[in-house]
Short mmCIF file of all heavy atoms in Angstrom, two decimals:
data_model
loop_
_atom_site.label_atom_id
_atom_site.label_comp_id
_atom_site.label_asym_id
_atom_site.label_seq_id
_atom_site.Cartn_x
_atom_site.Cartn_y
_atom_site.Cartn_z
N THR N 744 -8.84 -3.74 -21.30
CA THR N 744 -8.60 -2.35 -20.85
C THR N 744 -7.19 -2.19 -20.29
O THR N 744 -6.56 -3.16 -19.83
CB THR N 744 -9.61 -1.96 -19.75
OG1 THR N 744 -9.40 -2.76 -18.59
CG2 THR N 744 -11.05 -2.12 -20.24
N GLY N 745 -6.73 -0.94 -20.32
CA GLY N 745 -5.42 -0.59 -19.77
C GLY N 745 -5.54 0.66 -18.91
O GLY N 745 -6.64 1.17 -18.67
N ALA N 746 -4.39 1.15 -18.49
CA ALA N 746 -4.34 2.25 -17.52
C ALA N 746 -5.12 3.48 -17.96
O ALA N 746 -5.64 4.25 -17.14
CB ALA N 746 -2.88 2.62 -17.26
N GLY N 747 -5.27 3.66 -19.27
CA GLY N 747 -5.96 4.85 -19.78
C GLY N 747 -7.40 4.95 -19.34
O GLY N 747 -7.94 6.04 -19.18
N ILE N 748 -8.05 3.78 -19.10
CA ILE N 748 -9.46 3.83 -18.71
C ILE N 748 -9.60 4.37 -17.28
O ILE N 748 -10.67 4.86 -16.89
CB ILE N 748 -10.15 2.45 -18.85
CG1 ILE N 748 -11.67 2.63 -18.90
CG2 ILE N 748 -9.74 1.49 -17.73
CD1 ILE N 748 -12.46 1.40 -19.28
N SER N 749 -8.51 4.32 -16.50
CA SER N 749 -8.58 4.82 -15.12
C SER N 749 -8.00 6.23 -14.95
O SER N 749 -8.01 6.77 -13.84
CB SER N 749 -7.85 3.84 -14.18
OG SER N 749 -8.51 2.58 -14.19
N VAL N 750 -7.51 6.81 -16.06
CA VAL N 750 -6.92 8.17 -15.97
C VAL N 750 -7.96 9.16 -15.45
O VAL N 750 -7.68 10.00 -14.60
CB VAL N 750 -6.36 8.60 -17.36
CG1 VAL N 750 -6.15 10.09 -17.42
CG2 VAL N 750 -5.06 7.85 -17.64
N GLU N 751 -9.22 9.04 -15.92
CA GLU N 751 -10.26 9.99 -15.49
C GLU N 751 -10.72 9.69 -14.06
O GLU N 751 -11.58 10.38 -13.53
CB GLU N 751 -11.43 9.94 -16.48
CG GLU N 751 -11.03 10.49 -17.86
CD GLU N 751 -11.93 10.00 -18.98
OE1 GLU N 751 -13.01 10.57 -19.19
OE2 GLU N 751 -11.54 9.03 -19.65
N PRO N 755 -2.70 7.94 -12.67
CA PRO N 755 -1.90 8.28 -13.86
C PRO N 755 -1.61 7.04 -14.69
O PRO N 755 -1.51 5.94 -14.14
CB PRO N 755 -0.62 8.87 -13.28
CG PRO N 755 -0.54 8.41 -11.87
CD PRO N 755 -1.95 8.14 -11.42
N PRO N 756 -1.44 7.22 -16.02
CA PRO N 756 -1.04 6.08 -16.85
C PRO N 756 0.43 5.78 -16.60
O PRO N 756 1.09 6.45 -15.79
CB PRO N 756 -1.28 6.59 -18.27
CG PRO N 756 -1.08 8.05 -18.17
CD PRO N 756 -1.54 8.45 -16.79
N PHE N 757 0.94 4.77 -17.29
CA PHE N 757 2.37 4.45 -17.14
C PHE N 757 3.18 5.17 -18.20
O PHE N 757 4.29 5.62 -17.96
CB PHE N 757 2.56 2.92 -17.27
CG PHE N 757 1.90 2.18 -16.13
CD1 PHE N 757 0.67 1.56 -16.29
CD2 PHE N 757 2.50 2.14 -14.88
CE1 PHE N 757 0.05 0.90 -15.23
CE2 PHE N 757 1.89 1.47 -13.81
CZ PHE N 757 0.67 0.85 -14.00
N ARG N 758 2.59 5.28 -19.42
CA ARG N 758 3.34 5.86 -20.55
C ARG N 758 2.59 7.08 -21.08
O ARG N 758 1.41 7.24 -20.83
CB ARG N 758 3.49 4.79 -21.65
CG ARG N 758 4.27 3.57 -21.16
CD ARG N 758 4.22 2.39 -22.14
NE ARG N 758 4.87 1.23 -21.53
CZ ARG N 758 4.26 0.41 -20.66
NH1 ARG N 758 2.99 0.62 -20.30
NH2 ARG N 758 4.89 -0.62 -20.11
N GLY N 759 3.30 7.92 -21.81
CA GLY N 759 2.67 9.11 -22.40
C GLY N 759 2.56 10.22 -21.37
O GLY N 759 3.20 10.20 -20.32
N LYS N 760 1.65 11.17 -21.63
CA LYS N 760 1.53 12.38 -20.80
C LYS N 760 1.31 11.99 -19.33
O LYS N 760 0.49 11.15 -19.03
CB LYS N 760 0.32 13.18 -21.31
CG LYS N 760 0.33 14.64 -20.93
CD LYS N 760 -0.51 15.55 -21.87
CE LYS N 760 -1.96 15.18 -22.09
NZ LYS N 760 -3.00 15.42 -21.19
N GLY N 762 2.88 10.11 -17.55
CA GLY N 762 3.09 8.68 -17.31
C GLY N 762 4.04 8.43 -16.14
O GLY N 762 5.05 9.13 -15.98
N LEU N 763 3.72 7.43 -15.34
CA LEU N 763 4.53 7.10 -14.16
C LEU N 763 5.94 6.71 -14.56
O LEU N 763 6.92 7.05 -13.90
CB LEU N 763 3.85 5.93 -13.43
CG LEU N 763 4.25 5.66 -11.98
CD1 LEU N 763 4.10 6.90 -11.13
CD2 LEU N 763 3.42 4.52 -11.42
N TRP N 764 6.03 6.01 -15.72
CA TRP N 764 7.36 5.56 -16.15
C TRP N 764 8.20 6.70 -16.72
O TRP N 764 9.36 6.51 -17.04
CB TRP N 764 7.24 4.42 -17.16
CG TRP N 764 6.55 3.18 -16.73
CD1 TRP N 764 5.88 2.30 -17.54
CD2 TRP N 764 6.40 2.63 -15.40
NE1 TRP N 764 5.36 1.26 -16.82
CE2 TRP N 764 5.64 1.45 -15.50
CE3 TRP N 764 6.83 3.03 -14.13
CZ2 TRP N 764 5.32 0.66 -14.39
CZ3 TRP N 764 6.51 2.26 -13.04
CH2 TRP N 764 5.76 1.08 -13.16
N PRO N 769 10.61 1.67 -14.65
CA PRO N 769 9.86 0.44 -14.35
C PRO N 769 10.73 -0.80 -14.25
O PRO N 769 10.39 -1.75 -13.53
CB PRO N 769 8.88 0.34 -15.53
CG PRO N 769 9.50 1.13 -16.64
CD PRO N 769 10.27 2.23 -15.98
N ALA N 773 9.35 -1.62 -10.87
CA ALA N 773 8.23 -2.55 -11.13
C ALA N 773 8.75 -3.91 -11.53
O ALA N 773 8.04 -4.71 -12.16
CB ALA N 773 7.32 -1.97 -12.22
N ALA N 805 -16.23 5.76 -18.01
CA ALA N 805 -15.81 4.66 -18.90
C ALA N 805 -16.03 3.31 -18.22
O ALA N 805 -16.58 2.38 -18.83
CB ALA N 805 -14.33 4.84 -19.25
N THR N 823 -8.62 -7.04 -17.95
CA THR N 823 -7.96 -5.77 -17.65
C THR N 823 -6.50 -5.95 -17.26
O THR N 823 -6.14 -6.96 -16.63
CB THR N 823 -8.68 -4.98 -16.54
OG1 THR N 823 -8.08 -3.68 -16.44
CG2 THR N 823 -8.60 -5.70 -15.19
N GLN N 824 -5.67 -5.00 -17.67
CA GLN N 824 -4.26 -4.99 -17.26
C GLN N 824 -4.12 -4.19 -15.96
O GLN N 824 -3.05 -4.14 -15.38
CB GLN N 824 -3.40 -4.33 -18.34
CG GLN N 824 -3.46 -5.05 -19.67
CD GLN N 824 -2.79 -4.26 -20.77
OE1 GLN N 824 -1.57 -4.30 -20.96
NE2 GLN N 824 -3.60 -3.50 -21.50
N ASN N 825 -5.22 -3.56 -15.54
CA ASN N 825 -5.17 -2.67 -14.38
C ASN N 825 -5.28 -3.46 -13.08
O ASN N 825 -5.83 -4.54 -13.05
CB ASN N 825 -6.31 -1.64 -14.46
CG ASN N 825 -6.21 -0.78 -15.71
OD1 ASN N 825 -5.14 -0.70 -16.32
ND2 ASN N 825 -7.31 -0.19 -16.14
N ILE N 826 -4.75 -2.86 -12.03
CA ILE N 826 -4.72 -3.55 -10.72
C ILE N 826 -5.55 -2.76 -9.70
O ILE N 826 -5.42 -2.95 -8.50
CB ILE N 826 -3.26 -3.69 -10.23
CG1 ILE N 826 -2.55 -2.32 -10.18
CG2 ILE N 826 -2.48 -4.63 -11.14
CD1 ILE N 826 -1.13 -2.38 -9.62
N HIS N 842 -2.91 -8.63 -14.57
CA HIS N 842 -1.71 -8.32 -13.78
C HIS N 842 -2.00 -8.34 -12.29
O HIS N 842 -1.32 -7.71 -11.51
CB HIS N 842 -1.15 -6.94 -14.20
CG HIS N 842 -0.64 -6.94 -15.61
ND1 HIS N 842 -0.61 -5.81 -16.41
CD2 HIS N 842 -0.21 -7.94 -16.42
CE1 HIS N 842 -0.15 -6.12 -17.61
NE2 HIS N 842 0.10 -7.40 -17.64
N VAL N 882 1.29 -8.40 -10.47
CA VAL N 882 2.38 -9.04 -11.23
C VAL N 882 3.47 -8.01 -11.53
O VAL N 882 3.18 -6.97 -12.12
CB VAL N 882 1.83 -9.62 -12.56
CG1 VAL N 882 2.93 -10.27 -13.37
CG2 VAL N 882 0.71 -10.63 -12.27
N PHE N 884 7.07 -6.89 -13.44
CA PHE N 884 7.87 -7.28 -14.61
C PHE N 884 8.81 -8.39 -14.16
O PHE N 884 9.26 -8.41 -13.01
CB PHE N 884 8.68 -6.08 -15.14
CG PHE N 884 7.88 -5.12 -15.97
CD1 PHE N 884 7.67 -3.82 -15.53
CD2 PHE N 884 7.32 -5.51 -17.18
CE1 PHE N 884 6.92 -2.92 -16.27
CE2 PHE N 884 6.57 -4.61 -17.94
CZ PHE N 884 6.37 -3.32 -17.48
N VAL N 909 -9.72 -0.57 -24.78
CA VAL N 909 -9.92 0.76 -24.18
C VAL N 909 -8.71 1.16 -23.32
O VAL N 909 -8.38 0.50 -22.35
CB VAL N 909 -11.18 0.78 -23.29
CG1 VAL N 909 -11.52 2.20 -22.87
CG2 VAL N 909 -12.38 0.14 -23.99
N GLY N 910 -8.03 2.25 -23.72
CA GLY N 910 -7.04 2.86 -22.84
C GLY N 910 -5.79 2.04 -22.64
O GLY N 910 -5.23 2.00 -21.54
N THR N 911 -5.33 1.36 -23.69
CA THR N 911 -4.06 0.66 -23.56
C THR N 911 -3.13 1.04 -24.70
O THR N 911 -3.55 1.19 -25.85
CB THR N 911 -4.24 -0.88 -23.51
OG1 THR N 911 -2.94 -1.49 -23.33
CG2 THR N 911 -4.90 -1.44 -24.76
N SER N 912 -1.85 1.18 -24.37
CA SER N 912 -0.85 1.51 -25.40
C SER N 912 -0.48 0.27 -26.21
O SER N 912 0.24 0.34 -27.20
CB SER N 912 0.41 2.07 -24.72
OG SER N 912 0.93 1.09 -23.80
N ALA N 913 -0.99 -0.87 -25.80
CA ALA N 913 -0.80 -2.14 -26.53
C ALA N 913 0.69 -2.41 -26.78
O ALA N 913 1.08 -2.88 -27.85
CB ALA N 913 -1.55 -2.11 -27.87
N LEU N 914 1.50 -2.11 -25.77
CA LEU N 914 2.96 -2.33 -25.90
C LEU N 914 3.46 -3.50 -25.08
O LEU N 914 4.58 -3.95 -25.26
CB LEU N 914 3.71 -1.06 -25.45
CG LEU N 914 3.54 0.16 -26.35
CD1 LEU N 914 4.13 1.40 -25.66
CD2 LEU N 914 4.19 -0.07 -27.70
N VAL N 915 2.63 -3.95 -24.11
CA VAL N 915 3.13 -4.98 -23.18
C VAL N 915 2.47 -6.32 -23.51
O VAL N 915 1.25 -6.43 -23.60
CB VAL N 915 2.84 -4.56 -21.73
CG1 VAL N 915 3.19 -5.69 -20.76
CG2 VAL N 915 3.63 -3.31 -21.38
N ALA N 918 -0.56 -9.32 -22.92
CA ALA N 918 -1.89 -8.69 -22.96
C ALA N 918 -2.19 -8.13 -24.35
O ALA N 918 -3.29 -8.29 -24.88
CB ALA N 918 -1.97 -7.57 -21.92
N ILE N 935 -10.55 2.46 -28.31
CA ILE N 935 -10.96 3.75 -27.73
C ILE N 935 -9.74 4.31 -27.02
O ILE N 935 -9.23 3.73 -26.05
CB ILE N 935 -12.13 3.56 -26.73
CG1 ILE N 935 -13.37 3.01 -27.46
CG2 ILE N 935 -12.46 4.89 -26.04
CD1 ILE N 935 -14.55 2.69 -26.54
N ASN N 936 -9.21 5.43 -27.56
CA ASN N 936 -7.94 5.96 -27.07
C ASN N 936 -7.73 7.35 -27.68
O ASN N 936 -8.06 7.54 -28.84
CB ASN N 936 -6.81 5.01 -27.53
CG ASN N 936 -5.52 5.23 -26.78
OD1 ASN N 936 -5.11 6.36 -26.54
ND2 ASN N 936 -4.87 4.13 -26.38
N PRO N 937 -7.18 8.32 -26.92
CA PRO N 937 -6.93 9.63 -27.55
C PRO N 937 -5.84 9.56 -28.61
O PRO N 937 -5.68 10.46 -29.43
CB PRO N 937 -6.46 10.51 -26.37
CG PRO N 937 -6.78 9.77 -25.14
CD PRO N 937 -6.84 8.33 -25.51
N GLU N 938 -5.05 8.45 -28.56
CA GLU N 938 -3.95 8.32 -29.53
C GLU N 938 -3.99 6.97 -30.23
O GLU N 938 -4.53 6.00 -29.70
CB GLU N 938 -2.60 8.40 -28.76
CG GLU N 938 -2.31 9.74 -28.16
CD GLU N 938 -1.10 9.67 -27.20
OE1 GLU N 938 -0.39 8.63 -27.22
OE2 GLU N 938 -0.92 10.62 -26.44
N ALA N 939 -3.34 6.92 -31.40
CA ALA N 939 -3.19 5.64 -32.12
C ALA N 939 -2.18 4.77 -31.37
O ALA N 939 -1.36 5.26 -30.59
CB ALA N 939 -2.70 5.91 -33.54
N THR N 940 -2.30 3.46 -31.59
CA THR N 940 -1.39 2.50 -30.95
C THR N 940 -0.88 1.55 -32.04
O THR N 940 -1.34 1.62 -33.19
CB THR N 940 -2.15 1.65 -29.89
OG1 THR N 940 -2.96 0.69 -30.61
CG2 THR N 940 -3.01 2.52 -29.00
N GLY N 953 -10.40 9.64 -28.65
CA GLY N 953 -10.90 10.55 -27.61
C GLY N 953 -10.76 9.89 -26.24
O GLY N 953 -10.21 8.79 -26.12
N THR N 954 -11.29 10.57 -25.22
CA THR N 954 -11.18 10.00 -23.86
C THR N 954 -12.29 8.96 -23.65
O THR N 954 -13.41 9.11 -24.16
CB THR N 954 -11.31 11.11 -22.81
OG1 THR N 954 -12.54 11.81 -23.06
CG2 THR N 954 -10.16 12.10 -22.88
N ALA N 955 -11.96 7.94 -22.90
CA ALA N 955 -12.86 6.79 -22.76
C ALA N 955 -14.19 7.17 -22.13
O ALA N 955 -15.25 6.67 -22.54
CB ALA N 955 -12.17 5.71 -21.92
N GLY N 956 -14.16 8.08 -21.13
CA GLY N 956 -15.41 8.43 -20.45
C GLY N 956 -16.42 9.04 -21.41
O GLY N 956 -17.57 8.58 -21.51
N1 APR W 197 -9.13 7.52 -22.14
C1 APR W 197 -8.67 6.50 -22.91
N2 APR W 197 -7.36 6.23 -23.09
C2 APR W 197 -6.47 7.05 -22.49
C3 APR W 197 -6.87 8.15 -21.69
C4 APR W 197 -8.26 8.36 -21.53
N3 APR W 197 -8.73 9.38 -20.79
N4 APR W 197 -5.73 8.77 -21.24
C5 APR W 197 -4.69 8.08 -21.74
N5 APR W 197 -5.12 7.06 -22.50
C6 APR W 197 -4.33 6.07 -23.23
C7 APR W 197 -2.96 6.51 -23.67
O1 APR W 197 -3.03 7.16 -24.95
C8 APR W 197 -2.22 5.17 -23.76
O2 APR W 197 -2.40 4.58 -25.03
O3 APR W 197 -4.13 4.99 -22.35
C9 APR W 197 -2.92 4.32 -22.71
C10 APR W 197 -2.10 4.13 -21.45
O4 APR W 197 -0.98 3.34 -21.80
P1 APR W 197 -0.05 2.74 -20.64
O5 APR W 197 0.20 3.78 -19.63
O6 APR W 197 1.10 2.08 -21.35
O7 APR W 197 -0.96 1.65 -19.91
P2 APR W 197 -1.17 0.14 -20.31
O8 APR W 197 -1.36 -0.02 -21.77
O9 APR W 197 -2.23 -0.37 -19.43
O10 APR W 197 0.23 -0.54 -19.86
C11 APR W 197 0.28 -1.96 -19.89
O11 APR W 197 2.39 -1.90 -18.73
O12 APR W 197 3.77 -1.05 -17.13
C12 APR W 197 2.91 -2.08 -17.41
O13 APR W 197 1.80 -3.35 -15.79
C13 APR W 197 1.75 -2.12 -16.46
O14 APR W 197 -0.47 -2.95 -16.93
C14 APR W 197 0.53 -2.04 -17.37
C15 APR W 197 1.08 -2.44 -18.73
#
Side-chain angles (χ1 to χ4, degrees):
T744 65
I748 199 170
S749 296
V750 162
E751 293 158 83
F757 294 101
R758 298 170 186 82
K760 201 157 55 78
L763 198 54
W764 300 152
T823 188
Q824 300 171 83
N825 300 341
I826 56 177
H842 294 153
V882 180
F884 281 115
V909 190
T911 182
S912 59
L914 292 170
V915 173
I935 297 176
N936 196 317
E938 292 169 12
T940 75
T954 55

